[in-house]
Amino acid sequence: VYADPESPRVLDARRLDRLHDRIRDFRRSEGGGPVFVSVVPQTPGSESAGDSMLFAAAVHAKVREDGLYVVADPDDGTIDFYNHGLRRDTDHLSFNLPDSVTFGDSRADEADDHLLGERLDRLMDFLDETPRTDRPGSEPAPATAPRAADENTLPPLFATDFWPGLFVGAFLALLLSGVVAGAVGIVTGLRRWRSPEPEPAGLLPVTSPTEPSASYLRRTAHAELTALTRKFTDPEGHARAWDCLDAAILLLDGDPDRARRPGTDPATLTAVVVLARAGRAALTGDTNDLCCGVNPLHGPAVSRHHVRVSAEAAGSNRRRLLPVCVPCRDTAIAQPSGIPGRLLRLPGSTSGDRSRRPYYDATDGPLTAVPGGIARLIDKVRETAGVH
């Protein structure tokens, strides 16, 4: 257990001794292993840019020992944990652990120490009860944190012909950007309408809507599925891509053309889009299992983060541990209140239903498995379809 000496002390001697005892007992238990706890604030200005997943990966790289890496933030009281080589069911630990442990409750909010000692003790209880697995768990490699020097260093102001270039360049840039933006918008709109093509992966977080229409989902699902089918020529050596294609077809009851016909459930179409994009990525050798849990249409995720999913007051505990893409990760760190506005909200299943709820509340189908990863989504589709 490491506690940042410059932060408020949240573990007294009794709690610290008990936590050490629990960790030693767990390590000696059958199927147990080491547990490393860091009580360190996760701030945007730190080397990990406030990303606890990146912080835990850095600690794991330095310690060079597999185990469960726990990051407890003494400032906001959150507890994150990452499985690096422990033979325990990570999904069970991540999705069944009570929010009162990871986020705290009203008592924790009122306590100066956020009751971190008590909650870490409960985390160890839950870890003891977590099912064992044959294979060690692993976390995806997190994206590199932005360097403060790169973000804050500016070139010399008068390094070139400053004043002449300023006026002429500004005028021409505004004129040209207006013309280009108008032309691109018209051409892109026509292409999407007449012959929709999949968006490049790098543009997805920017171009994906938060409240897509049913027609948008139909066009996108059909375009993505068609692109995957066209590129998929040999199942040998592409097991992941085949699993994605198979699951997408299962969602459409074996009829790919159903994707573009009115009446298909928006949640089903969204799951088809996610699977088709993951399949296309697998064909290029990219087998990243995480998809953005804020908006699955954003594409691949780079880490998991506790994000606020309610627009209520900052004291609300309506938060979830979700995989996040780079833009959503940056928003979660720099402006947590901005995440609710980025959540994917699906249209109602019927024409008279005008409600817009977050995708994981709008359905009880396979799409709810997205936060667990692509492999979990595929398994959920097959479970729902009765295929083993």
Side-chain angles (χ1 to χ4, degrees):
V1 179
Y2 171 80
D4 176 30
E6 297 183 0
S7 297
R9 186 178 180 183
V10 292
L11 296 177
D12 59 26
R14 182 178 63 85
R15 284 290 184 185
L16 190 59
D17 289 343
R18 176 170 173 76
L19 184 55
H20 276 125
D21 289 341
R22 295 297 306 274
I23 292 174
R24 279 192 289 267
D25 290 343
F26 178 77
R27 186 165 191 163
R28 291 193 295 262
S29 67
E30 181 182 357
V35 178
F36 303 93
V37 180
S38 300
V39 186
V40 178
Q42 302 299 304
T43 60
S46 65
E47 292 89 341
S48 57
D51 188 334
S52 61
M53 186 179 193
L54 182 60
F55 178 85
V59 175
H60 174 235
K62 291 292 185 181
V63 173
R64 296 183 180 179
E65 187 173 357
D66 288 342
L68 187 75
Y69 283 75
V70 181
V71 182
D73 192 324
D75 288 346
D76 65 10
T78 57
I79 298 176
D80 294 314
F81 42 87
Y82 302 97
N83 187 0
H84 288 280
L86 204 62
R87 294 179 184 271
R88 293 294 167 119
D89 188 338
T90 306
D91 287 343
H92 175 84
L93 186 62
S94 298
F95 298 108
N96 293 328
L97 185 67
D99 286 349
S100 58
V101 176
T102 54
F103 302 124
D105 50 22
S106 57
R107 290 194 309 117
D109 287 342
E110 296 171 359
D112 292 337
D113 61 357
H114 302 291
L115 302 182
L116 278 177
E118 175 185 321
R119 289 160 55 207
L120 287 169
D121 194 54
R122 291 170 59 195
L123 173 62
M124 294 304 301
D125 287 338
F126 199 82
L127 185 58
D128 282 331
E129 300 166 359
T130 300
R132 292 160 178 77
T133 56
D134 295 333
R135 295 182 179 181
S138 62
E139 298 288 347
T144 304
R147 293 178 66 249
D150 294 338
E151 292 188 341
N152 299 324
T153 302
L154 297 175
L157 185 61
F158 297 101
T160 58
D161 295 333
F162 179 72
W163 292 110
L166 176 65
F167 293 107
V168 177
F171 175 78
L172 292 179
L174 287 173
L175 180 62
L176 182 61
S177 62
V179 172
V180 171
V184 170
I186 293 173
V187 172
T188 302
L190 289 174
R191 286 184 60 194
R192 284 182 177 176
W193 179 256
R194 299 185 62 182
S195 181
E197 289 293 334
E199 289 275 18
L203 293 179
L204 292 179
V206 178
T207 60
S208 298
T210 57
E211 295 189 355
S213 64
S215 60
Y216 171 88
L217 292 173
R218 288 197 298 269
R219 291 197 306 271
T220 305
H222 183 259
E224 294 286 352
L225 191 56
T226 299
L228 174 59
T229 305
R230 189 188 306 126
K231 293 183 178 181
F232 197 89
T233 57
D234 182 13
E236 295 296 328
H238 294 104
R240 173 61 175 272
W242 169 253
D243 287 342
C244 290
L245 177 60
D246 179 58
I249 298 299
L250 279 174
L251 282 170
L252 298 172
D253 297 329
D255 181 8
D257 286 336
R258 186 182 158 207
R260 58 181 175 182
R261 289 200 291 264
T264 305
D265 179 51
T268 297
L269 293 171
T270 304
V272 169
V273 172
V274 171
L275 289 166
R277 287 174 174 170
R280 291 175 58 216
L283 290 176
T284 67
D286 181 3
T287 56
N288 178 19
D289 190 55
L290 291 181
C291 177
C292 183
V294 175
N295 185 341
L297 299 179
H298 285 175
V302 294
S303 65
R304 287 189 177 92
H305 203 88
H306 281 122
V307 298
R308 188 183 303 161
V309 296
S310 171
E312 299 170 7
S316 170
N317 277 322
R318 287 290 316 277
R319 291 184 288 181
R320 289 179 58 129
L321 178 63
L322 295 176
V324 287
C325 62
V326 173
C328 287
R329 180 198 64 181
D330 294 344
T331 300
I333 294 172
Q335 188 188 3
S337 60
I339 288 295
R342 298 178 66 90
L343 288 171
L344 175 65
R345 299 178 184 275
L346 295 178
S349 301
T350 61
S351 58
D353 186 358
R354 303 296 181 184
S355 62
R356 288 269 185 176
R357 291 181 294 168
Y359 71 93
Y360 46 75
D361 289 334
T363 177
D364 58 358
L367 188 62
T368 57
V370 162
I374 301 299
R376 178 62 189 132
L377 174 59
I378 293 172
D379 289 343
K380 188 70 173 179
V381 171
R382 289 174 174 170
E383 290 170 10
T384 303
V387 177
H388 301 283

